[in-house]
Amino acid sequence: MTSRSATFVASAIAIITTTAAPAAPLTLAEAARIDASSSPAPGEPSLAEIRQATERFRNVNVAVAEGYIRDPANMCETAEMTGQPRKLGAMGLHYFRPDMLGIIAPPNPRVDGTGTHTDFGKPAVLVYEPQADGSLELIAVENLVFAKAWKEAGHHAPPSSHGVPWDTMIDDPATPVDEAHNFEPHHDRHVWLYRENPNGIFAQFNPRVTCAHHNPGAPHAHQHASGH
């Protein structure tokens, strides 16, 4: 997850008045390869089922209408920004549901929350790639739980999806970068449903994603949507 500051409410809710532009859907072959890359544990949704449940968010206007807000820091994150090799690629621009994350206050000093939401049929975070024409293309979905809240809920290990434990993000004060992206220690899981990822379906970064077209100073009101 990016350095999405929780000073979000006033600035982020009115972020987009957009015109939807169509995005190229996954080919059948791409979707089949992605879907075959992981198998659900009993009771978990398959990748195809998660895609079916989140397809509507390819239009970012739909996401906004359903309560997702844009990262107030307007950050399109790359691997280099967290001190990792450039070859790992980028993550993208995040839209998130504060209620699902349990974020109710600005950072103090880091973003913290009480949410323990893990349902990928209703992901707490949507990840978009900025396009050259100013539109946004949905590339991944994500969930995040704060480590303290997760432990207090009675869990003694990170969540897992399809048998794979989520990534645990904790800042190392000895390094010049912030490995936890200005968040308190947390567990997160990216699922690259809409952009094939050579690093793996659950990797944090994708070498086929770019932030080259992101304008961090662009007014949000002029952002176009990409989707159906």
Side-chain angles (χ1 to χ4, degrees), residues 2-4 71-77 81 92-94 214:
T2 67
S3 55
R4 23 193 185 278
D71 168 16
N74 195 23
M75 184 80 71
C76 185
E77 186 154 348
M81 293 168 64
L93 181 66
H94 294 73
H214 177 56

Side-chain angles (χ1 to χ4, degrees), residues 23-25 54-60 128 136 138 194 226-228:
T54 58
E55 179 81 14
R56 67 189 185 280
F57 297 131
R58 293 182 62 233
N59 185 331
V60 71
Y128 293 86
L136 295 175
L138 181 64
Y194 297 95
S226 177
H228 296 302

Side-chain angles (χ1 to χ4, degrees), residues 14 28-29 37 46 56 61 71 78 82-83 95 102-103 113 121 166 201 220:
L28 292 177
S37 66
S46 67
R56 67 189 185 280
N61 293 323
D71 168 16
T78 67
T82 60
Y95 279 67
I103 298 175
W166 291 15
I201 183 68
H220 292 170

